Amino acid sequence: MSAKQVIPRTLACRDIEEAVEHHLGEGGAEVALGFVEALEQAFAHIGRYPASGSPRYGHELGIPGLRSWPLGRFPHLVFYVERRSHVDVWRVLHGVRDIPAWMREGGAL
């Protein structure tokens, strides 16, 4: 099985940049690099096994195909939809946020 390309949307890229900046400020370069490595691992996983993510928020928000995947030791979730040719990453959000509200921000839904 070949992996699908994982393509983050603009909002997901912004989420990632903000998380990296936060981790740099709070924990330093080592923590920020750990976040980036966890994100790379998550992207590799969902590229190979897109159906393995949780459909919980997809059901909650009424979005067919929306799944989430956790970032290992970081409390973030990658929200994505599998497409025919790629994995469409909508957001990368901290798990304690109001997920439905953040998913609606900026027209993600």
Side-chain angles (χ1 to χ4, degrees):
M1 167 193 269
S2 63
K4 290 186 176 187
Q5 184 177 14
V6 177
I7 303 173
R9 291 183 176 194
T10 301
L11 280 174
C13 290
R14 188 187 72 196
D15 295 337
I16 293 164
E17 288 172 11
E18 289 174 1
V20 169
E21 286 177 22
H22 170 78
H23 290 303
L24 272 171
E26 293 295 315
E30 189 173 323
V31 174
L33 285 172
F35 175 82
V36 171
E37 289 172 7
L39 185 64
E40 289 172 347
Q41 290 173 359
F43 279 12
H45 178 86
I46 64 176
R48 284 190 310 272
Y49 309 105
S52 64
S54 170
R56 171 188 168 198
Y57 289 103
H59 294 302
E60 242 178 74
L61 297 167
I63 304 171
L66 179 68
R67 294 185 175 273
S68 62
W69 187 258
L71 284 192
R73 67 183 178 104
F74 292 89
H76 293 76
L77 297 168
V78 176
F79 291 90
Y80 65 93
V81 175
E82 179 182 10
R83 304 292 186 201
R84 174 174 269 157
S85 63
H86 67 283
V87 174
D88 184 9
V89 176
W90 289 16
R91 301 296 304 259
V92 178
L93 299 173
H94 194 287
V96 299
R97 290 187 171 170
D98 178 353
I99 299 296
W102 279 86
M103 290 296 290
R104 287 184 187 91
E105 178 201 312
L109 300 183

